């Protein structure tokens, strides 16, 4: 088992997930190690409370472990974990209104550069993140979120529908409005910059 999962980047997520469902503790540990840094970075988009994010990530994995025999198979473990963490954070936010944006009545989605990004990314990727942050600063939190998912994380429209709990057409409309706002603000075509992470 250990040799099989030695190189995490070469492992099919669906296989790892099925192994986890089957009670394989090694698969559970590897999924945690593979995604914990990304989950933390994603959590930072909604709050700067590092301890809260760590607690919520821990709770997500505890729930997965305790309910693993009832989980369904998936080939998109990252999306599953992102949704689980977002839901966990939002449950906390609903109880504490200080996390909400007065203008939008929802938690503020941010793409601000974090210390963790500096640690895990090289200089070129750091510059890309900073460029993206500057571009998205003109958007509303909801617009930032949909553009982040589409052009930074490279999620499909269907995946965005799931994580934002919106229908397909609404997501398309939100992306279109966001891009129009970027076009109206910046000279040139900012979407070309936003696509740098998708290749």
């Amino acid at each position: 088992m250990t040799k099989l999962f030695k190189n995490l980047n070469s492992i099919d997520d669906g296989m790892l997930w099925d192994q986890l469902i089957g009670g394989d503790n090694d698969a559970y540990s590897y999924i945690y190690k593979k995604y914990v840094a990304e989950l933390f970075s994603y959590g930072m988009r909604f709050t700067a409370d590092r301890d809260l994010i760590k607690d919520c990530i821990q709770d997500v994995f505890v729930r997965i472990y305790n309910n693993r025999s009832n989980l369904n198979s998936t080939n998109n473990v990252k999306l599953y974990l992102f949704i689980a963490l977002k839901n966990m954070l939002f449950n906390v936010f609903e109880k504490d209104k200080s996390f909400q944006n007065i203008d939008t009545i929802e938690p503020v989605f941010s793409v601000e550069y974090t210390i963790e990004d500096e640690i895990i990314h090289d200089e070129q990727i750091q510059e890309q993140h900073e460029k993206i942050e500057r571009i998205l600063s003109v958007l509303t939190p909801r617009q930032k979120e949909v553009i982040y998912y589409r052009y930074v994380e490279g999620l499909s429209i269907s995946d965005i529908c799931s994580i934002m709990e919106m229908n397909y057409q609404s997501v398309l409309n939100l992306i279109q409005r966001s891009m129009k706002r970027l076009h109206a603000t910046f000279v040139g075509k900012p979407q070309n910059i936003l696509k740098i992470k998708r290749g």
Side-chain angles (χ1 to χ4, degrees), residues 72 158 160:
N72 295 320
S158 296
I160 297 172

Side-chain angles (χ1 to χ4, degrees), residues 48-111:
D49 190 332
R50 288 170 164 76
D51 289 335
L52 173 61
I53 297 169
K54 292 175 183 177
D55 289 343
C56 285
I57 291 173
Q58 199 66 34
D59 288 344
V60 164
F61 277 94
V62 168
R63 290 192 180 189
I64 288 174
Y65 186 84
N66 290 338
N67 298 290
R68 61 192 183 281
S69 60
N70 298 317
L71 297 175
N72 295 320
S73 294
T74 179
N75 287 320
N76 200 333
V77 174
K78 179 178 178 177
L79 178 65
Y80 179 95
L81 294 174
F82 269 32
I83 292 174
L85 178 58
K86 183 179 179 181
N87 289 339
M88 190 76 69
L89 286 169
F90 275 40
N91 286 337
V92 176
F93 297 159
E94 286 179 3
K95 299 174 183 177
D96 188 344
K97 301 305 180 184
S98 66
F99 287 103
Q100 295 184 355
N101 184 325
I102 295 175
D103 296 327
T104 61
I105 316 300
E106 65 184 12
V108 176
F109 183 89
S110 171
V111 289

Side-chain angles (χ1 to χ4, degrees), residues 114-152:
T114 68
I115 295 174
E116 285 68 27
D117 290 328
E118 295 177 4
I119 294 173
I120 63 177
H121 293 303
D122 62 28
E123 184 175 347
Q124 182 179 3
I125 296 179
Q126 288 178 29
E127 293 176 357
Q128 291 175 350
H129 275 252
E130 291 173 333
K131 186 178 292 184
I132 290 171
E133 181 185 338
R134 289 195 299 271
I135 292 171
L136 300 189
S137 64
V138 301
L139 301 178
T140 67
R142 198 72 166 166
Q143 289 173 333
K144 287 180 184 179
E145 186 173 3
V146 74
I147 293 299
Y148 177 82
Y149 292 144
R150 183 60 173 163
Y151 295 104
V152 180

Side-chain angles (χ1 to χ4, degrees), residues 29-44:
S29 296
Y30 279 121
I31 288 175
Y32 177 86
K33 292 175 183 176
K34 184 174 183 178
Y35 288 108
V36 65
E38 282 190 76
L39 286 171
F40 186 84
S41 180
Y42 176 61
M44 290 289 292

